[in-house]
């Protein structure tokens, strides 16, 4: 999967170079490219924001640098162009799996900053808007990393064969069961007996029951449909 990220703050994307996503990039399963929108500014001071027409607080990102950056990266509009925005559809597992399931998928993620982006560049260039939740951030960079991380986990070759996605939280509308590792007693707290029994059927039954109980207690809304 190829993911292009357009931002005024490329240095914010260091986390994508580490851990599982960093390894998948080295292995070639992911091709993540960060583009500095400022490089496309035609202003002599590389200006990319200006005051809003109509007045009001804050600055607005100018259309021209974004328009030119998108058209330099994806001149034939072959990628799915996504603007990370609180106005977008809230990200859920259905959207994550939809994007991850596209053969040879190519995503372009536009990160706004300040008060937002000139509406005309969104109208001209953007296919969809995605939000990661009902709160406002200082920019779309963290949402772009959230989207990249959770979509990438479902791309072939990103997770090792031991990192199963079939038992994790939300996989069948339930939250995941609790995990334990050595030592058997920690600060007086014991590992549940059944996990030490070696009886796989009982362990599976216990985990299913734990999943259901935890979901009922913490997220009863997930069980409604
Ligand atoms: C984007 C918040 C996506 C939530 C972008 C300020 C944002 C956001 N989901 N907030 N700029």
């Amino acid at each position: 999967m190829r993911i292009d990220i357009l931002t005024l703050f490329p240095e914010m994307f260091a986390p994508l170079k580490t851990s599982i996503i960093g390894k998948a990039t080295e292995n070639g399963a992911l091709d993540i490219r960060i583009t500095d929108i400022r490089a496309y500014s035609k202003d002599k001071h590389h200006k990319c924001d200006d005051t809003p027409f109509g007045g009001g607080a804050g600055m607005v990102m100018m259309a021209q640098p974004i328009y030119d950056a998108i058209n330099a990266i994806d001149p034939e509009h072959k990628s799915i162009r996504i603007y990370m925005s609180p106005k977008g559809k809230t990200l859920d597992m259905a959207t994550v799996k939809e994007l991850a399931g596209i053969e040879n998928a190519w995503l372009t993620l536009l990160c706004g900053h300040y008060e937002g982006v000139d509406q005309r560049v969104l109208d001209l260039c953007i296919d969809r808007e995605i939000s990661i939740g009902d709160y406002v951030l200082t920019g779309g960079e963290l949402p772009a990393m959230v989207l990249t991380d959770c979509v990438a986990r479902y791309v072939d070759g990103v997770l090792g064969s031991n990192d199963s996605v079939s038992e994790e939280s939300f996989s069948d509308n339930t939250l995941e069961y609790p995990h334990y590792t050595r030592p058997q007693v920690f600060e007086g707290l014991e590992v549940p007996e059944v996990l030490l029994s070696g009886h796989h059927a009982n362990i599976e039954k216990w985990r299913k029951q734990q999943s259901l109980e935890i979901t009922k207690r913490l997220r009863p809304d997930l069980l409604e449909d």
Side-chain angles (χ1 to χ4, degrees):
M1 169 173 275
R2 174 171 166 184
I3 303 180
D4 282 87
I5 300 174
L6 283 78
T7 175
L8 286 175
F9 300 95
E11 66 281 8
M12 282 183 74
F13 291 87
L16 297 180
K17 296 185 181 85
T18 67
S19 184
I20 293 171
I21 305 301
K23 261 196 205 98
T25 303
E26 282 168 24
N27 296 339
L30 295 175
D31 177 6
I32 299 175
R33 306 182 193 188
I34 314 292
T35 295
D36 187 350
I37 294 167
R38 200 171 299 282
Y40 290 88
S41 172
K42 288 192 170 126
D43 177 87
K44 65 171 183 280
H45 304 293
H46 307 290
K47 195 172 127 90
C48 288
D49 60 340
D50 208 336
T51 53
F53 276 123
M59 300 294 272
V60 176
M61 283 172 70
M62 296 155 61
Q64 175 273 317
I66 296 171
Y67 185 81
D68 288 353
I70 291 177
N71 285 307
I73 291 163
D74 175 24
E76 293 172 280
H77 200 157
K78 287 186 172 164
S79 69
I80 303 172
R81 299 167 171 183
I82 301 169
Y83 176 48
M84 306 312 302
S85 162
K87 293 180 199 165
K89 181 179 177 282
T90 307
L91 188 63
D92 59 13
M93 289 308 282
T95 306
V96 169
K97 287 179 180 170
E98 181 216 331
L99 294 172
I102 298 166
E103 192 111 15
N104 291 316
W106 177 13
L107 310 180
T108 299
L109 311 182
L110 172 62
C111 307
H113 223 89
Y114 316 116
E115 291 309 303
V117 167
D118 189 309
Q119 183 62 38
R120 292 167 295 184
V121 78
L122 303 179
D123 295 343
L124 286 167
C125 299
I126 294 298
D127 299 313
R128 53 206 273 189
E129 301 194 11
I130 293 180
S131 163
I132 62 160
D134 289 343
Y135 37 81
V136 179
L137 301 163
T138 55
E141 284 78 10
L142 288 167
M145 281 188 263
V146 167
L147 180 63
T148 298
D149 186 282
C150 65
V151 170
R153 294 181 68 251
Y154 292 90
V155 172
D156 286 344
V158 173
L159 295 188
S161 51
N162 283 333
D163 308 308
S164 165
V165 292
S166 65
E167 290 190 353
E168 67 191 14
S169 287
F170 308 115
S171 62
D172 55 0
N173 275 336
T174 56
L175 302 175
E176 205 178 1
Y177 52 80
H179 303 273
Y180 299 88
T181 188
R182 279 181 280 274
Q184 210 173 302
V185 183
F186 181 71
E187 295 284 311
L189 298 182
E190 306 249 4
V191 171
E193 187 95 41
V194 62
L195 300 179
L196 310 172
S197 68
H199 193 301
H200 293 293
N202 283 354
I203 291 170
E204 201 183 331
K205 199 172 136 204
W206 179 85
R207 285 176 168 168
K208 281 223 163 73
Q209 177 201 331
Q210 287 287 313
S211 267
L212 211 57
E213 262 173 41
I214 289 163
T215 311
K216 267 186 204 151
R217 180 154 46 88
L218 301 177
R219 291 293 307 277
D221 58 296
L222 291 178
L223 297 170
E224 271 159 29
D225 43 45

